[in-house]
Amino acid sequence: MNFCSAGITFTLLSSRYYTSATSSDQALNLLHFLKLSITHQSPKLAQQTHARILALGLHQNPFLGTKLISAYSNFKNPTWARLVFDSVELKNVYLWNTLVNGYVKNGEYVEVFEFFKGMCRGDLFPDDYTLASLAKVAGETGDSAAGKLVHGRSIRSGFALDVVVSNSLMSMYGKCGSFGDVRKVFDEMPQRNVGSWNVLIAGYVGCGDHGLDEGMWKIVKCMQIDGVKPDGFTLSSLLPLCGVDGRKWPDYGREFHCYIVKSEMELNLDSDAHLGCCLIDMYSKSNRFVVARRVFDQMKSGNVYTWTAIINGYTENGASDEALNLFREMQVRDGIEPNRVSLVSVLPACNSHASLIGGKQIHGFAIRKLLNNDVSLCNALIDMYSKCGSLDLARRVFEDDSFVKDAISWSSMISGYGLHGRGNEAVSLYDKMVLEGVKPDGITLVGLLSACGRSGLVDEGLNIYSSAIKNYGIKPTVEICACVVDMLGRSGQLDQALEFIKNMPVQPGPSVWGALVTASVIHGNSTMQDLAYRYLIELEPENPSNFISLSNVYASSKQWDVVAKVRTMMKEKGLRKEPGCSWISVNRTTHCFHVADKAHPFSNSIHEMLENLIFVMKDAKCSYVEIPS
DNA sequence: ATAGGGTTAG
């Protein structure tokens, strides 16, 4: 459509019709074409009009000059914008402001303050438009000193009374991390609009852990008392806060959705689907991905962001099949090319399927699209390769110099070694990480401690635990403590594990008691087992896995009466557990196995092989082997 | 007739 309209207008442009018009009429018409070029996103039309302007000798017309600069800036061509600016002899404040704003839009922040100086050297005074742009630059670059200068100048010149200038200043303070100043500017504003409230809310969200507390709600309430209606921007700031902690904000997400529907807000306004994405994301995060899907299906036009949001929703909810299907559909049906985020979102779907081939295809795509220098993507690849069984390929991504490794890259690789039972390598990689000056975080520690636990490296693990907490200020989380309990427990030190739980710096959660349960079952300590189960079931009375595990323990010691009791209890509570299964992909076919499953055509030979393997393992004095029934 | 702020999707 764009090209078409550009073609038609060009025909008009070069027709004889214009030759008889006066020069001011011509200028007006050319201005119109420049506007069209911007609304239709046609750089070609802008260039053609520019040629016409030059041919007709209208290039000193300030209106045309300004529009040209604005058009070229919109088409990400600040160099040409600058050339136009230089060619206009009498530069007015509009021309300056448009160029400055063009630089801002294209992220050329360094130039802006130089320009500002140049502007002040002439006879021109920076006005409210200039100040708004400057404030934005200070915010984007996090330069609070510059921001304060802009603020001072705004006050002295009286432009701080302007709503947009003050909004920009607030936004600047928010980006510089001083929420107090955001609030101060807001409170002192003589008049506010919905944008002012939005900056305040965004600043409040951005300043961290206040996100969920009362203050946020007070702001939203005050906004309504003030008679300002929340708009799409407001809601897209608020929606990400919903669904994260369902306990505090039970159904606000749904209420916001209702509000959006009632006020007839468009989910994909102006081809921007941000609001729709926020809804999809919110529903996915609150485990309501059926609703998320409905929102997705109802949106008129999907773009790469909406597709990515819904794919991400499916992967996070463990629906890998659906995620992979959608990933395909997005490309085949809608012809949308996945971006960096889409790839990062879909990769975990390969993990749970152990789909090495799918993961490799995505890796190949990333290389072709030159996306493989992105940390997040490489981290996802490391994770995918190690979870799909190929530690070597994971290591190859990790060793590649084409991306800058962060703490997550190291943690992923360390966990990979852990998953493959190579605790010693995990530990030495951790040592290297520390040596290279990369600060480990809580996630690193979880990966490393579980690696130690799996490989029986108890003393190493305990040393690492205490040194990490002391030297790197890592807060011992429940997950970390659960790893320590697991480590101690698996090695048979059940009493020490219990002692650790008693003195733990955080409240022991289900994962902690679960670790103790597993350990006591392995080591046949029924006293400890009963104690751990009691806590576990008290904490998670609705989790069917706990009851199944309890019943399995009694089943293995043939205490069928207790088994029956547990099963009845589950029935009374209405708890059901999807049976777990394992699968393996051989020659692109995935074979799935449940407990005691004899359905596979080669079941007999599989079991025969399994028994051989168990025999070999027992002979090799492997610590414990679960014998399948 | 010409110019400005608010979200950036894991």
Side-chain angles (χ1 to χ4, degrees), chain A residues 481-487 489-490 494 497 501 509-522 532 536:
Chain A
C481 293
C483 288
V484 176
V485 172
D486 186 62
M487 208 159 57
R490 273 178 199 271
L494 292 170
I501 295 177
S511 54
V512 174
W513 293 115
L516 192 63
V517 162
T518 312
S520 3
V521 172
I522 292 171
L536 184 58

Side-chain angles (χ1 to χ4, degrees), chain A residues 221-297:
Chain A
K221 267 188 212 149
C222 287
M223 178 176 182
Q224 282 167 312
I225 292 166
D226 237 36
V228 182
K229 269 175 81 77
D231 65 3
F233 285 106
T234 325
L235 287 157
S236 44
S237 288
L238 293 175
L239 279 171
L241 305 176
C242 307
V244 181
D245 189 341
R247 249 167 274 174
K248 272 194 178 169
W249 282 19
D251 256 326
Y252 285 128
R254 238 188 134 66
E255 283 184 33
F256 288 149
H257 191 178
C258 291
Y259 179 82
I260 289 168
V261 174
K262 269 196 226 156
S263 33
E264 293 178 324
M265 281 184 200
E266 194 63 68
L267 293 187
N268 33 9
L269 200 66
D270 296 332
S271 79
D272 177 9
H274 194 250
L275 192 50
C277 285
C278 287
L279 276 177
I280 294 174
D281 227 39
M282 181 274 293
Y283 281 123
S284 304
K285 288 216 170 73
S286 12
N287 295 318
R288 286 178 281 187
F289 62 107
V290 181
V291 195
R293 181 55 189 259
R294 212 181 302 143
V295 173
F296 174 79
D297 288 337

